[in-house]
Amino acid sequence: MAVSNLVRNLRDAELMLVDGTSPTPLSLTVVLDEGDLTWTERLNTIEVKDRGKISGGHLRRGDDVSVTLSFSAKWTQLIGKSASSGDPLQLYEFLTLASGTEVVSTSADGEQETLTLVFKVVDPAGVAGETITFEKVYRETLSLSEGDEFNVISLTGRSFAVAPTVERLV
């Protein structure tokens, strides 16, 4: 199969949050997102030097480092389902696993609450779309800010993995 030469941009993707409800997880597609999902994979390296000199030394793999990630979305409303069971689930409620929403952590009881983030990027040429899955994502910061045209919710977190899982869309 040929590889597409068309670059992808924010119009070709969607971000979905998935919880740990079994057997059928709850999911929420992030609407009005800024298209600014960012993640960083790091590889720690230990430089073993010979009396401070590189010559004669060597490199060793260091400790694993979890993936950092962030995204933001325009804020429509903070609470829905937690205030009234007939209202739709809101992004803020999903990210905070708010009481009364039935959103369940993807981690075991007693561990830090986590979610799964699935970033789906469709190839505009229809050749090689991809899904990037971040497992066990925990929130480090959740920032809410107001603006002239719209308010914004921003999440910064980590995926408890050294890299996301990248797969070709079927």
Side-chain angles (χ1 to χ4, degrees):
M1 178 180 280
V3 175
S4 172
N5 290 327
L6 293 176
V7 296
R8 279 112 171 142
N9 65 28
L10 59 91
R11 290 176 188 85
D12 300 319
E14 72 177 14
L15 179 61
M16 184 173 53
L17 307 174
V18 180
D19 84 338
T21 302
S22 181
T24 306
L26 295 175
S27 65
L28 178 75
T29 300
V30 181
V31 294
L32 302 175
D33 63 306
E34 292 291 295
D36 61 354
L37 174 67
T38 302
W39 73 89
T40 303
E41 302 171 28
R42 289 188 43 214
L43 179 62
N44 269 345
T45 302
I46 299 169
E47 295 181 347
V48 180
K49 298 176 184 167
D50 183 7
R51 297 194 172 267
K53 300 228 181 247
I54 291 175
S55 176
H58 60 273
L59 301 173
R60 304 268 329 235
R61 186 178 179 110
D63 290 346
D64 287 348
V65 180
S66 56
V67 175
T68 59
L69 57 98
S70 65
F71 72 89
S72 60
K74 294 174 181 77
W75 164 0
T76 55
Q77 67 186 71
L78 295 179
I79 59 173
K81 193 168 192 70
S82 62
S84 174
S85 62
D87 284 354
L89 187 60
Q90 299 299 314
L91 177 59
Y92 179 81
E93 293 173 310
F94 210 103
L95 293 173
T96 60
L97 286 79
S99 177
T101 62
E102 300 172 5
V103 178
V104 175
S105 175
T106 57
S107 291
D109 288 341
E111 290 186 9
Q112 175 64 284
E113 293 177 334
T114 61
L115 296 168
T116 298
L117 273 67
V118 179
F119 186 53
K120 185 164 87 172
V121 185
V122 177
D123 179 3
V127 177
E130 299 162 324
T131 58
I132 299 100
T133 304
F134 301 90
E135 300 285 347
K136 294 184 86 171
V137 174
Y138 60 93
R139 176 181 39 138
E140 290 190 308
T141 62
L142 186 59
S143 303
L144 294 91
S145 58
E146 65 176 343
D148 287 335
E149 295 183 32
F150 50 84
N151 295 341
V152 175
I153 298 175
S154 299
L155 173 115
T156 302
R158 289 183 176 267
S159 172
F160 195 58
V162 295
T165 303
V166 181
E167 299 174 308
R168 181 74 57 90
L169 280 172
V170 181

